[in-house]
Amino acid sequence: FTAHTVRNWTYHSYEITEADSQTDTTSFRYCPLGDSVLRYGLDSAMLTGKDGGTVWSVTYSMQSPALAVCGETAAIYDENGTAVVVCDASGQIGSISTELPIQKVSVAEQGVVAAILEDESNTWIQYYDQQGELIATFRTAMDATGYPMDISLSSNGLLMGVSYLKMENGVPSTELCFYNFGKAGQIQMDNQVSSYTYENLLVPRLAYLDNNTCVAFLENGFAVFEGGQIPEKIQEVKVEQEIVSIFWDDSHIGMILENDNADAPFLLSLYGPSGRQIFQKELDYEYQNVEMDAGQIVLTSRTGFCVYSADGVEKFRGELSNVIIQDLFAIGKTRFVLVTEEGLYTVKIK
C-alpha cells in the first residue's frame, strides 16, 4: 500500500525556495551535473553545489561553447573552434586543442573525448585522452565511409559508435559503425568491430546509455545495440507516427509522437534499455522542451512545466507566476532549477 501510494502521489503547488537574481543567465547556459549545477559561457565555467556554494570554477576562451556530458563528466567545447575543456565534480581534468574546427564532441566518464572535425575538404573523427594526446584518427569521405552525422562514446570510453550518412544514386542511407579501442579492436582495421546498414533511412542520433548499450534513433523508431566488446543489434522498435522529440537517460529511452487526437496531439512513450515498452499514453501538454532528469520526464513550456514519473504517472502540472522560462531541469524528485532572464531559482513542488 505504501509503495502504491508513493508511486501514484501527485503534487499540486510549488514554492521558490532559493533565488539568485544577480546571476547573469543571458550570457551562460546551465545543466545538471550529478547533484550539482554546471554554468558555462564564453570565458568560464562554474560548478555550484546543492548548498549554493561554488565547488570550482575554470576560465577559457570560446566563441560558441557547447556541451557533452557523461555521468558527472562534462566536455565544454568550442563549436567550429578548436578548444575542449574537460571537467568533473572535482574540477578541470583535461584540455584538448584540435587542429581543425570541431563539429561535435562525445565524452566518457574518465575524460577521454571523441570529436568530429571538419575543414573545407575533409571530415575527421579523432579520439583523445585527457591530456589531449591523439589516440586514434579516421578520415571520412562522402564517397567512401560517408559523412558522420553523430558520434557517441560508451561510459568507459572503450567503444565508439558513429552514424554515417551515405548517398548512392541520389538515395540516402546510413551506416552505423562501432569501434573498439581495447584488445578486441586492435586486430581490426581502424578498430572497427561491427557495422549495420539502413537503406533509404537516416539515423541522425546515437546515444550510449552505459558501457554496453547504445541506442540509434531512426527516422521511424530506434534500435538497441548491446555488447561490451562487439556491439550487436538486439531490438528494433518502429513507429508509424511522426517522431516529434526524443529523450533518454542511462536506463530509459523515450519518444514523443504525433497523435491524431485533437484533444491530445501527442503520444508519450517510454521504453527500457532492452527496448521493452514501459508505457504509452496520450499527452495534451503543449511543450517546448523535454528531458529525462532524475529518473523523471520533464516537459517545459514558456510559462510552466509538467512532470511524469518513469511509470507514466503525471506527478505535477502547473504554471509559474510572472516568469518566462529559459530552461528548467530536475535536481531531485521534487526540486528543480529554473533559469529565467531575471535570474536563477530553485523550485520545489509540493
Side-chain angles (χ1 to χ4, degrees):
F1 174 79
T2 302
H4 175 80
T5 301
V6 171
R7 186 167 55 248
N8 292 281
W9 189 268
T10 59
Y11 304 87
H12 303 284
S13 62
Y14 72 91
E15 62 178 353
I16 295 178
T17 59
E18 300 172 27
D20 184 359
S21 59
Q22 304 302 313
T23 299
D24 180 5
T25 58
T26 59
S27 303
F28 290 89
R29 297 179 184 176
Y30 298 80
C31 83
L33 200 66
D35 293 330
S36 303
V37 177
L38 176 65
R39 183 185 80 166
Y40 64 101
L42 297 175
D43 56 9
S44 64
M46 182 177 70
L47 190 70
T48 303
K50 290 194 292 185
D51 60 355
T54 300
V55 180
W56 53 254
S57 62
V58 298
T59 58
Y60 50 75
S61 179
M62 297 185 185
Q63 296 296 316
S64 181
L67 189 70
V69 175
C70 180
E72 295 191 16
T73 302
I76 306 165
Y77 64 97
D78 195 5
E79 194 171 7
N80 294 315
T82 59
V84 183
V85 175
V86 185
C87 305
D88 65 9
S90 64
Q92 182 173 342
I93 60 174
S95 64
I96 297 164
S97 180
T98 66
E99 295 183 356
L100 297 173
I102 302 167
Q103 302 304 308
K104 195 158 193 180
V105 158
S106 180
V107 66
E109 286 185 344
Q110 72 271 43
V112 296
V113 166
I116 299 174
L117 311 176
E118 187 173 14
D119 61 13
E120 293 181 356
S121 56
N122 295 306
T123 304
W124 297 80
I125 294 172
Q126 297 191 336
Y127 184 56
Y128 300 87
D129 65 13
Q130 280 185 6
Q131 287 70 43
E133 297 295 326
L134 194 60
I135 299 173
T137 181
F138 313 107
R139 178 182 174 275
T140 70
M142 195 67 182
D143 58 355
T145 55
Y147 180 82
M149 291 185 289
D150 201 14
I151 189 170
S152 184
L153 285 174
S154 61
S155 299
N156 59 10
L158 180 66
L159 297 169
M160 179 175 70
V162 182
S163 173
Y164 293 100
L165 169 65
K166 306 183 78 171
M167 295 291 291
E168 295 183 7
N169 299 320
V171 178
S173 64
T174 303
E175 185 171 7
L176 299 182
C177 294
F178 292 96
Y179 303 85
N180 185 311
F181 296 102
K183 291 182 179 180
Q186 291 176 359
I187 59 175
Q188 304 295 329
M189 182 177 294
D190 291 337
N191 297 83
Q192 184 177 321
V193 291
S194 63
S195 66
Y196 295 83
T197 300
Y198 288 87
E199 299 289 349
N200 197 26
L201 192 66
L202 297 182
V203 186
R205 295 297 303 272
L206 289 177
Y208 257 99
L209 307 185
D210 52 31
N211 292 335
N212 305 303
T213 308
C214 182
V215 180
F217 289 96
L218 319 176
E219 286 182 292
N220 60 351
F222 66 87
V224 180
F225 298 83
E226 277 195 358
Q229 298 294 328
I230 302 176
E232 297 180 351
K233 184 165 65 175
I234 64 164
Q235 181 64 278
E236 188 167 304
V237 175
K238 293 185 178 181
V239 296
E240 296 181 357
Q241 302 92 336
E242 186 78 18
I243 299 173
V244 181
S245 302
I246 58 173
F247 56 93
W248 65 89
D249 65 6
D250 58 4
S251 54
H252 299 94
I253 305 162
M255 296 188 295
I256 295 180
L257 313 174
E258 286 187 350
N259 191 22
D260 56 7
N261 183 350
D263 295 326
F266 306 111
L267 286 173
L268 176 61
S269 301
L270 192 68
Y271 299 79
S274 66
R276 180 185 63 85
Q277 188 174 73
I278 299 173
F279 74 84
Q280 182 177 82
K281 64 190 313 175
E282 291 188 317
L283 178 67
D284 62 353
Y285 190 73
E286 293 289 345
Y287 71 99
Q288 287 190 320
N289 187 52
V290 57
E291 298 286 348
M292 194 93 187
D293 293 325
Q296 304 175 113
I297 304 165
V298 182
L299 303 110
T300 56
S301 66
R302 286 178 57 81
T303 58
F305 68 103
C306 180
V307 181
Y308 280 87
S309 72
D311 298 317
V313 177
E314 185 178 287
K315 307 293 285 185
F316 176 81
R317 180 185 295 211
E319 295 292 301
L320 302 178
S321 301
N322 303 317
V323 299
I324 301 297
I325 298 174
Q326 289 186 339
D327 199 3
L328 183 140
F329 50 85
I331 53 174
K333 293 296 184 182
T334 60
R335 294 176 67 242
F336 302 82
V337 171
L338 167 66
V339 183
T340 73
E341 288 187 357
E342 288 72 32
L344 200 66
Y345 305 87
T346 302
V347 178
K348 180 178 175 60
I349 57 175
K350 57 183 183 175

